[in-house]
Amino acid sequence: MITTDQFEIAIPDATPLIQSIRSIGYNLETAIADIVDNSIDANANIVKIDIIWNEGKSYIRIEDDGCGMNEGELVQAMRLGSKNPNEKRNPKDLGRFGMGLKTASFSIGKKLTVMTKQGSQLFSRCWDIDVIAETNQWTLLKEITQESREVMGDIQSHSGTVVLIEKLDKIVSLPVTYRKQKKFLRHIKDVEDHLQLVFHRFLESQTPITILLNNHKLVSWDPFLTTEMATQEMPEERVTVAGDTVVIQPYVLPHHSKLSKENYRIAGGVKGWFEQQGFYVYRNRRLLVAGGWLGLFSKEESYKLGRIKIDIGNLVDFHWQIDIKKSTARPPQELVDIFKKVGEKARSTSYKVFYYRGSYFRSKGNELSTEIEYVWEQVFRNGKLHFILNRHNLLFKKVFEAERITQEALETYLFYVQEYCPSNIISYAPNTLATGQIEKLQEIAENHKIVMHSVIQLLREQGISDNGIVNQILQFSDFTVYSQKSIEKLLKEVI
């Protein structure tokens, strides 16, 4: 055992340490999300967030109706490192390090005041970095200034907590200008988007939490489009690592032609379809990582429909290298091969859906194969994306490997090349002429009849049923103006 003459206590200087803590790397939205975690851990039903512009006196106020704290619990919560991260905790807890309230708040402003209530008992404490700088001591204030008290107001619920962050020097720098005010207001939208994603499973659960941002009720943003009929939910996998069950659920989102223009825009999220592809890691239903392939794959346009939900508990934080901000996570080595396998399946399915309009099924004997024939191939040359004609395509071979090229075969192939031009597939151009909005034509133009004849014969050679042929033809953009009956009539004419 170490005796007292073998050591001395080296208490960190308060001022330099707290200034260092301010630079951990939060932005406004991740900081507020970290504070909301505490409200959820306190079993709150309603969380009210107010981000108020008042020039140099702007502030952020977060109130919940959770269980609140007694005086001892409040003082402990205000300490840096208020919890031992190695201690066993409630499996539903969102916290780990006992740092989030302080580090998140200090990354925004210099003054943190917390008021908490349990029944008729009301307690408050305050950290003011300016006071700490004067004393170079961990000076936790018991008294709240009258100005802060007026902003905090009262806690109306039986129990709850109010967090007030003032002196927002990281958000509002002096001197105040109109441009800085506009930037501050834009931050509010960033916070809204972030919270609607990070807490979307809490907002949409059977017993949802209500989060109000400046009196505006937040709505969940579901990255997996689970309410869309065309979304593919692939088989779920469960793996146990370090005593924790990891649940892996891949989804492949619908082709843009299956979505309305508004739903397509919403589904793209804040970052857009390309950036939102990949893995979504949740810890106790709280989102940590929103998209990206965890370093296992690169992002590509044709894989942007693949999104994979991963659920983990709070027993494996160290295995996943989860940081204080709860904004990064890295899978343990035991899961890498499994994630690669699941990721490859999701990406493959995404590729097929993405290029769906440029494909058709071919037959093998008397049975239809699910192998898809692409007119175009996507390749990378010198780090750039290029599209080339697929020379293994059955139609390509029929035209260019035949002893004699007929005009009909060439016309049909050129029709496919034009119809499935990559720019038509990649660009979002939903069919705004939905059924019922226009009257479909009953008579087919002669130049279209020639191409349709050839397409029908080709698809019949592949063993496609008559219903399948009609559906395929109606997908072609040039033919959407025609009624189904007109196509069926033409089908009967082609022997």
Side-chain angles (χ1 to χ4, degrees):
M1 181 177 179
I2 300 176
T3 59
T4 54
D5 62 338
Q6 292 178 300
F7 68 89
E8 58 186 8
I9 303 296
I11 299 175
D13 286 341
T15 302
L17 179 56
I18 208 161
Q19 291 295 343
S20 300
I21 285 171
R22 303 195 75 198
S23 303
I24 281 180
Y26 286 94
N27 55 34
L28 179 60
E29 48 267 35
T30 56
I32 290 180
D34 213 343
I35 297 171
V36 171
D37 287 342
N38 295 330
S39 299
I40 294 174
D41 282 344
N43 297 316
N45 295 308
I46 301 175
V47 182
K48 299 177 182 177
I49 304 165
D50 295 305
I51 304 175
I52 304 300
W53 169 261
N54 187 19
E55 297 187 342
K57 294 184 178 181
S58 300
Y59 64 86
I60 295 170
R61 181 184 184 275
I62 302 171
E63 178 183 354
D64 68 55
D65 63 348
C67 60
M69 294 173 278
N70 60 38
E71 190 170 21
E73 290 170 333
L74 172 60
V75 172
Q76 181 65 16
M78 295 295 277
R79 286 195 177 102
L80 271 77
S82 57
K83 295 179 182 177
N84 182 344
N86 294 312
E87 284 182 356
K88 189 174 181 180
R89 62 194 56 222
N90 188 318
K92 294 183 179 180
D93 276 0
L94 298 180
R96 164 63 62 182
F97 299 97
M99 297 282 285
L101 171 64
K102 287 75 66 176
T103 54
S105 300
F106 293 149
S107 70
I108 301 171
K110 296 165 72 175
K111 187 176 179 182
L112 164 65
T113 308
V114 178
M115 181 171 67
T116 189
K117 178 184 177 184
Q118 285 189 334
S120 60
Q121 294 185 309
L122 194 69
F123 306 103
S124 56
R125 291 293 188 275
C126 173
W127 284 119
D128 189 327
I129 290 178
D130 288 335
V131 174
I132 292 173
E134 288 176 14
T135 62
N136 198 25
Q137 298 290 328
W138 296 103
T139 312
L140 181 61
L141 302 175
K142 293 183 179 181
E143 297 296 326
I144 298 178
T145 63
Q146 183 61 30
E147 189 175 17
S148 295
R149 175 73 70 180
E150 289 175 1
V151 172
M152 295 191 87
D154 297 323
I155 299 176
Q156 300 295 332
S157 52
H158 176 74
S159 62
T161 301
V162 175
V163 174
L164 177 66
I165 308 169
E166 300 171 281
K167 298 183 180 180
L168 307 181
D169 62 323
K170 296 287 187 177
I171 309 297
V172 184
S173 60
L174 299 176
V176 173
T177 64
Y178 176 67
R179 181 175 293 180
K180 290 178 182 177
Q181 180 185 1
K182 287 183 67 177
K183 185 178 180 181
F184 180 92
L185 297 176
R186 282 199 302 271
H187 280 315
I188 298 174
K189 176 59 178 170
D190 294 337
V191 170
E192 177 184 356
D193 292 336
H194 187 72
L195 297 182
Q196 289 181 153
L197 172 58
V198 168
F199 298 108
H200 79 91
R201 293 173 71 180
F202 293 92
L203 295 170
E204 65 194 19
S205 67
Q206 290 183 343
T207 54
I209 290 173
T210 298
I211 300 179
L212 301 172
L213 177 58
N214 289 1
N215 291 320
H216 168 68
K217 186 177 179 180
L218 301 190
V219 222
S220 71
W221 183 76
D222 174 15
F224 309 109
L225 272 68
T226 51
T227 58
E228 289 286 343
M229 293 293 292
T231 295
Q232 296 185 46
E233 185 174 303
M234 300 174 71
E236 177 186 280
E237 292 197 32
R238 291 174 176 262
V239 186
T240 301
V241 175
D244 181 67
T245 300
V246 179
V247 183
I248 310 163
Q249 177 68 72
Y251 294 86
V252 176
L253 276 53
H255 187 276
H256 64 242
S257 62
K258 304 282 186 181
L259 298 171
S260 69
K261 187 174 183 178
E262 178 62 13
N263 285 350
Y264 179 84
R265 183 192 64 78
I266 293 171
V270 180
K271 299 177 183 177
W273 280 79
F274 184 83
E275 293 297 331
Q276 299 280 184
Q277 65 183 278
F279 293 99
Y280 287 69
V281 182
Y282 295 81
R283 175 179 174 271
N284 286 347
R285 298 191 298 149
R286 195 263 201 207
L287 185 63
L288 303 179
V289 176
W293 294 103
L294 298 176
L296 305 178
F297 310 101
S298 61
K299 292 177 183 176
E300 295 182 28
E301 189 73 18
S302 56
Y303 302 138
K304 68 182 183 181
L305 305 181
R307 298 179 184 176
I308 302 170
K309 180 169 67 178
I310 299 173
D311 274 306
I312 64 174
N314 65 6
L315 301 176
V316 288
D317 288 355
F318 295 112
H319 289 79
W320 279 81
Q321 302 177 53
I322 294 171
D323 65 355
I324 290 175
K325 304 188 302 295
K326 287 173 279 192
S327 60
T328 60
R330 296 177 181 84
Q333 195 59 41
E334 305 96 299
L335 291 172
V336 168
D337 287 342
I338 296 169
F339 285 174
K340 280 184 178 178
K341 181 187 73 173
V342 174
E344 284 167 355
K345 286 182 181 178
R347 284 159 65 90
S348 173
T349 306
S350 171
Y351 189 96
K352 292 175 182 178
V353 174
F354 185 76
Y355 286 110
Y356 174 70
R357 291 183 63 236
S359 65
Y360 58 88
F361 296 95
R362 69 181 181 188
S363 62
K364 288 185 177 180
N366 295 324
E367 298 182 1
L368 288 181
S369 165
T370 57
E371 182 179 352
I372 294 181
E373 288 274 345
Y374 301 106
V375 178
W376 296 87
E377 284 187 308
Q378 180 178 271
V379 297
F380 282 89
R381 290 176 179 165
N382 300 321
K384 293 184 179 180
L385 176 66
H386 297 268
F387 286 91
I388 62 173
L389 292 171
N390 177 15
R391 293 177 180 270
H392 300 288
N393 177 277
L394 194 64
L395 201 52
F396 181 95
K397 291 181 177 180
K398 186 172 182 178
V399 171
F400 292 98
E401 293 183 6
E403 292 183 7
R404 182 165 106 25
I405 301 176
T406 65
Q407 181 178 350
E408 183 183 36
L410 184 58
E411 287 281 357
T412 305
Y413 178 68
L414 292 177
F415 168 78
Y416 270 84
V417 169
Q418 174 181 291
E419 178 69 23
Y420 301 133
C421 175
S423 63
N424 296 336
I425 298 171
I426 294 172
S427 301
Y428 177 68
N431 180 14
T432 56
L433 304 177
T435 304
Q437 291 182 300
I438 62 168
E439 185 177 348
K440 299 286 186 176
L441 300 177
Q442 301 298 322
E443 292 296 325
I444 301 173
E446 287 303 318
N447 60 324
H448 282 171
K449 271 188 182 181
I450 295 171
V451 176
M452 281 190 199
H453 271 258
S454 184
V455 169
I456 290 169
Q457 290 174 342
L458 175 69
L459 293 177
R460 276 184 171 163
E461 288 175 11
Q462 308 310 312
I464 307 296
S465 68
D466 284 358
N467 283 337
I469 292 172
V470 171
N471 290 334
Q472 176 77 41
I473 289 175
L474 287 173
Q475 287 177 26
F476 296 143
S477 57
D478 280 1
F479 301 153
T480 54
V481 295
Y482 298 117
S483 70
Q484 183 171 330
K485 285 185 178 179
S486 65
I487 307 296
E488 291 171 347
K489 181 182 176 183
L490 181 66
L491 195 65
K492 292 176 182 178
E493 297 174 3
V494 180
I495 300 174

